[in-house]
Amino acid sequence: MCQMVLANIANALARLDDADRDRVQVLFVTTDPARDDVATLRTYLERFDPGFVGITGDLASLQTAAQSFHVYFEEGVQLASGGYDVTHNDQVNAVDADDTVPMLWMRDTSPHDLAVDIATLLSRPAS
């Protein structure tokens, strides 16, 4: 899911003019800090947009931060390969300059709709 969502976000940002694009910062917060160190996140995010920022840390801190956005994640089912899947919801939160979440998108939100929503948020007067 993450790959599809990140590709849609990158596509949406490419639809914005340069001035609006420069006002948007994408933060990707890992739900799997055991595997996602800084270098791994950087390599992963580079595939979508070099401006995307990856955030990792200890599991407890990430889960505490995620709760404030009503995001859950937990280690999932053990795979036959010996690895594991991480279970998480797939929402994307827009956080504005006032640190509020005026919009929430799900994995099936199209790049067009994301771009329209982002442009709408950027056109709102600052408080």
Side-chain angles (χ1 to χ4, degrees):
M1 265 338 121
C2 294
Q3 293 179 27
M4 182 180 73
V5 172
L6 288 169
N8 284 348
I9 293 169
N11 187 312
L13 295 178
R15 296 166 185 252
L16 300 176
D17 64 41
D18 289 343
D20 280 348
R21 170 61 184 101
D22 288 345
R23 295 175 57 204
V24 177
Q25 177 64 68
V26 175
L27 302 176
F28 176 87
V29 181
T30 185
T31 57
D32 189 6
R35 292 188 279 200
D36 290 341
D37 60 23
V38 173
T40 301
L41 280 177
R42 183 72 263 139
T43 299
Y44 179 67
L45 294 173
E46 285 284 331
R47 297 186 326 202
F48 303 98
D49 186 305
F52 288 5
V53 173
I55 298 175
T56 190
D58 66 89
L59 182 63
S61 296
L62 292 170
Q63 286 179 322
T64 298
Q67 288 173 357
S68 66
F69 288 95
H70 305 286
V71 171
Y72 76 89
F73 63 94
E74 59 188 25
E75 191 172 85
V77 178
Q78 190 80 22
L79 303 173
S81 65
Y84 57 92
D85 278 332
V86 175
T87 304
H88 60 84
N89 54 342
D90 56 5
Q91 70 197 45
V92 176
N93 296 292
V95 179
D96 63 17
D98 297 322
D99 292 329
T100 64
V101 179
M103 288 190 185
L104 174 82
W105 302 288
M106 302 310 287
R107 71 172 175 232
D108 58 351
T109 304
S110 73
H112 172 267
D113 290 346
L114 281 167
V116 168
D117 287 349
I118 293 168
T120 298
L121 289 172
L122 292 173
S123 70
R124 294 185 345 182
S127 61

